[in-house]
Amino acid sequence: MDEDLRLANGVVWPGFLGSTVPAWLEHELAAGLAGVVYFAQNLRGDTAALSARIHEIAPQALIGIDEEGGSVTRLETATGSTVPGAAQLGAVDDLEATRATASEIARRCDAIGADVVLGPVADVNTDPRNPVIGTRSFGSDTDLVSRHAAAAVRGIQEAGLAACAKHYPGHGDTALDSHHDLPRIDAPVTEITARHLPPFTAVIEAGVQSIMTAHIVVPEWGDAPATLNPLILGMLRASGFDGVIVTDALDMAAVRETVGLGPGAVAALKAGADLLCIGNPTNPGDAMLPEQDQHDFHAVRDAIVSALRSGALSRERVAEAASRVARMAAQVRAGTAVPQTDFDAEAIVRRAVDATGLVQPLPDAPTAVIDIRRRSTLAVDSAAGHVALALAAGGPTHRLDVGASDEQIDAVVAAAAGRPAVVLADRLDSGAAQRALAERVARAAGAVIVDVGLPGPKIDGIPVIEVRGAGLLGAQQARRLLVGV
């Protein structure tokens, strides 16, 4: 095996297609690949057996999984998460609840053979329009997010897995999704330093083993996104972090559609990243190639090899990165889990879900749900069907998008007539078009609003149940509040 190929493999973390180990992946694992990242499409079979096979081929391989609870789950994609999400935990503001939740998430990931939990989210969500963070954040207060991110790191790592806090230097002050665009944060760096960096200091002090970068541009720190920016990643090192710097997925448009997968991988390593997350090969949707996983892997790995051979990328830098990755793998292998104390997810969620305005109990009967939520994104299944199903309790679900015509709105309101009605929303901040639609439909249908996004200002005369996430437990608790149970 070529030394350059093995060295490059040691810093690459791809996704792959299917729920068994494909031949190409088996070959690369045997040739020193850093590991793999699981996505929901990988978890449709015996995932523990899949993980065992990966570790049999490559005992050092790190298996990562994007499991946050609440609105973001890979383990429970089909049914919805049965642990609290970050915004719910932030609302409760009980550090033990956050630690215990993170520990439970890690134990569930450990049960399917994963090694790294890609969480917690350490972003301070200061922009209510944020389409990619939102309820994934513990909140908009820097101190609160710092406390809870650190507690979550301790919970994950006491279960014997590595945590990966994200997204440095903070993805909370954006109105664009880096899966589709390249967000810019034009806030003064003094504000970014004061509001968005402290949670990362807190997780470093808590002993976090890895930190994920953000594909965001801070103009005062240069034109390159943080993932590719040596100044920003140098700041992370200067803050005392000597663990693994993981890139956010390189297949996101912020990198793929700007510099490209291969050049982005080389630039990230030059900037100081250690482990290159390639991403989910199913993300292109209908445009996905039959061998998209291999295509993306080779675009990254082969670009690194070429840069090593040309001298554009130093072997010392890549060897340093690979050494950090290997050290984290050894730490995970040597780790021992602390026994979990009693964990009552439903009790935590009950404390997080509340109402503004007086909710007159509805009949405990099938309910018409008028769903006006934003469509799901690559990162967040915000329009997950399980939420509407739990609220409807056997009743019909009607879909309305912002921008619907008067005729469409009137038709949906008419179709919901004769049943108790709920408007399901996730964007009720001031000035949002969805807020105006929610108010109009709720008044016309005599409905309660159930909000699974970030709470917005009170709407006069209309009760709103604030769920703070699209997990299953929150939807079930909202249903209980609706019928007065």
Side-chain angles (χ1 to χ4, degrees):
M1 167 60 64
D2 185 297
E3 289 185 7
D4 291 337
L5 288 173
R6 181 171 286 275
L7 181 59
N9 270 0
V11 298
V12 179
W13 216 19
F16 64 98
L17 295 171
S19 55
T20 59
V21 181
W24 75 265
L25 180 58
E26 181 168 349
H27 174 78
E28 301 301 342
L29 285 165
L33 189 66
V36 298
V37 178
Y38 283 161
F39 296 92
Q41 52 95 6
N42 299 122
L43 309 184
R44 295 171 180 161
D46 186 341
T47 309
L50 171 63
S51 300
R53 176 59 184 149
I54 289 171
H55 286 140
E56 178 185 16
I57 299 165
Q60 84 291 343
L62 287 167
I63 299 173
I65 185 168
D66 215 356
E67 189 68 23
E68 299 173 13
S71 298
V72 176
T73 178
R74 304 293 179 255
L75 296 176
E76 298 180 290
T77 298
T79 59
S81 176
T82 54
V83 296
Q88 293 170 335
L89 293 165
V92 171
D93 196 11
D94 178 338
L95 294 180
E96 174 56 23
T98 295
R99 182 210 61 78
T101 297
S103 184
E104 176 65 18
I105 289 172
R107 290 173 202 284
R108 295 182 183 191
C109 294
D110 183 51
I112 57 104
D115 305 297
V116 184
V117 176
L118 299 179
V121 170
D123 303 314
V124 182
N125 197 87
T126 55
D127 190 335
R129 302 170 300 167
N130 197 318
V132 69
I133 303 301
T135 61
R136 299 169 65 195
S137 168
F138 291 107
S140 59
D141 179 81
T142 299
D143 290 342
L144 180 141
V145 173
S146 297
R147 295 194 305 272
H148 286 273
V153 165
R154 288 191 287 269
I156 291 168
Q157 295 189 171
E158 73 182 13
L161 275 66
C164 182
K166 55 194 184 184
H167 308 81
Y168 188 87
H171 208 312
D173 191 19
T174 72
L176 294 176
D177 182 349
S178 50
H179 291 81
H180 305 289
D181 296 285
L182 180 56
R184 291 167 56 94
I185 297 182
D186 292 312
V189 295
T190 51
E191 178 182 334
I192 296 171
T193 300
R195 297 194 71 179
H196 296 279
L197 294 189
F200 294 97
T201 301
V203 297
I204 291 168
E205 292 174 350
V208 71
Q209 293 185 44
S210 59
I211 291 177
M212 180 175 284
T213 62
H215 299 329
I216 58 167
V217 172
V218 180
E220 289 193 51
W221 286 333
D223 295 330
T227 300
L228 315 181
N229 191 316
L231 174 62
I232 294 176
L233 299 192
M235 289 166 43
L236 178 54
R237 289 293 180 213
S239 69
F241 181 63
D242 191 40
V244 176
I245 296 179
V246 182
T247 69
D248 206 346
L250 297 177
D251 71 347
M252 293 161 61
V255 173
R256 183 195 284 271
E257 303 302 326
T258 55
V259 298
L261 272 177
V266 173
L269 287 167
K270 284 184 175 181
D274 302 307
L275 185 55
L276 308 178
C277 176
I278 296 179
N280 186 350
T282 66
N283 281 346
D286 292 340
M288 184 183 75
L289 300 172
E291 297 178 340
Q292 188 74 50
D293 49 357
Q294 294 183 65
H295 177 273
D296 290 350
F297 167 74
H298 282 289
V300 168
R301 199 279 306 278
D302 295 354
I304 299 169
V305 171
S306 179
L308 287 169
R309 290 174 178 169
S310 71
L313 181 60
S314 78
R315 287 178 173 79
E316 291 76 17
R317 167 78 273 270
V318 182
E320 175 190 48
S323 175
R324 285 199 180 99
V325 175
R327 182 179 65 191
M328 184 166 74
Q331 289 171 333
V332 171
R333 299 289 171 266
T336 56
V338 175
Q340 172 70 301
T341 54
D342 291 340
F343 174 67
D344 189 340
E346 288 189 9
I348 296 170
V349 172
R350 282 196 298 271
R351 295 162 63 191
V353 178
D354 55 25
T356 59
L358 178 63
V359 178
Q360 296 287 354
L362 302 178
D364 191 4
T367 300
V369 174
I370 303 171
D371 188 351
I372 66 170
R373 292 175 294 171
R374 293 169 289 184
R375 299 288 180 170
S376 296
T377 69
L378 295 177
V380 184
D381 193 9
S382 51
H386 60 264
V387 178
L389 289 173
L391 295 174
T397 297
H398 307 281
R399 177 76 205 182
L400 268 181
D401 289 315
V402 169
S405 67
D406 290 344
E407 292 77 11
Q408 290 171 322
I409 293 170
D410 291 343
V412 165
V413 170
R419 295 180 184 272
V422 167
V423 175
L424 177 55
D426 67 351
R427 178 87 196 275
L428 298 183
D429 50 291
S430 295
Q434 190 189 108
R435 178 184 174 91
L437 178 61
E439 182 173 356
R440 175 178 173 177
V441 173
R443 293 195 192 283
V448 177
I449 297 174
V450 174
D451 177 20
V452 295
L454 297 173
K458 182 179 178 180
I459 300 176
D460 290 340
I462 300 177
V464 179
I465 295 176
E466 299 291 1
V467 181
R468 301 177 172 87
L472 178 61
L473 294 185
Q476 292 172 336
Q477 176 59 16
R479 174 69 190 179
R480 286 190 284 268
L481 289 179
L482 283 170
V483 299
V485 175

